[in-house]
Amino acid sequence: MNQPFDASIPVLTEIMNDEPPPASAVAAAPADEAQPAPGDALDWEALQRRVSEQVLQQLSNRVDFVLEQRIKDSMAEVLEHALHALTAEIRDGLHDTIGKIVTRAVQQEITHLQASSTRQK
């Protein structure tokens, strides 16, 4: 599964930056995940949990988008193939049916003309 690098997928350095989060984000964070004060020991578990949640959220959004696109592309390809096959089948059926109708109409007209010419004699 060695696919080329997708630039639209964020890397860890893009998710975590050195700037402190906005005050509204800190206020909205649960109390057990509060940012340590400068000089305090860094809470590695909280940091790991926060980074993991951010990465999972961003990857989940990206996976949903990519999956939806791939399904749409696959369905479009399948439907196009089915449409071509159905069109060819309908065309062949119509050609065959029209051929039979024309042949029968010509035969009936010739029979009618033959009957008319024998009555005139």
Side-chain angles (χ1 to χ4, degrees):
M1 190 163 187
N2 191 8
Q3 295 181 339
F5 177 72
D6 187 349
S8 65
I9 298 175
V11 293
L12 186 57
T13 55
E14 293 173 339
I15 296 170
M16 293 302 298
N17 53 24
D18 293 334
E19 300 172 14
S24 61
V26 172
D32 64 310
E33 291 186 24
Q35 296 290 325
D40 287 349
L42 189 59
D43 185 359
W44 292 105
E45 283 186 35
L47 179 63
Q48 177 185 356
R49 188 170 41 254
R50 221 175 66 241
V51 170
S52 294
E53 288 172 3
Q54 289 177 351
V55 169
L56 282 173
Q57 180 62 38
Q58 290 182 357
L59 282 177
S60 178
N61 292 341
R62 181 67 185 159
V63 165
D64 290 347
F65 174 77
V66 170
L67 185 61
E68 186 175 322
Q69 281 302 118
R70 293 221 175 154
I71 288 173
K72 283 181 183 177
D73 293 345
S74 296
M75 288 302 295
E77 189 177 315
V78 167
L79 290 175
E80 184 177 344
H81 180 70
L83 180 63
H84 286 302
L86 184 60
T87 302
E89 188 176 332
I90 290 171
R91 185 182 313 113
D92 292 343
L94 253 153
H95 181 73
D96 187 46
T97 301
I98 291 172
K100 288 177 182 177
I101 290 171
V102 168
T103 300
R104 183 171 179 207
V106 169
Q107 286 175 344
Q108 287 176 347
E109 189 62 30
I110 289 176
T111 303
H112 179 70
L113 288 173
Q114 286 174 340
S116 294
S117 74
T118 50
R119 278 189 234 150
Q120 288 178 359
K121 289 184 182 179

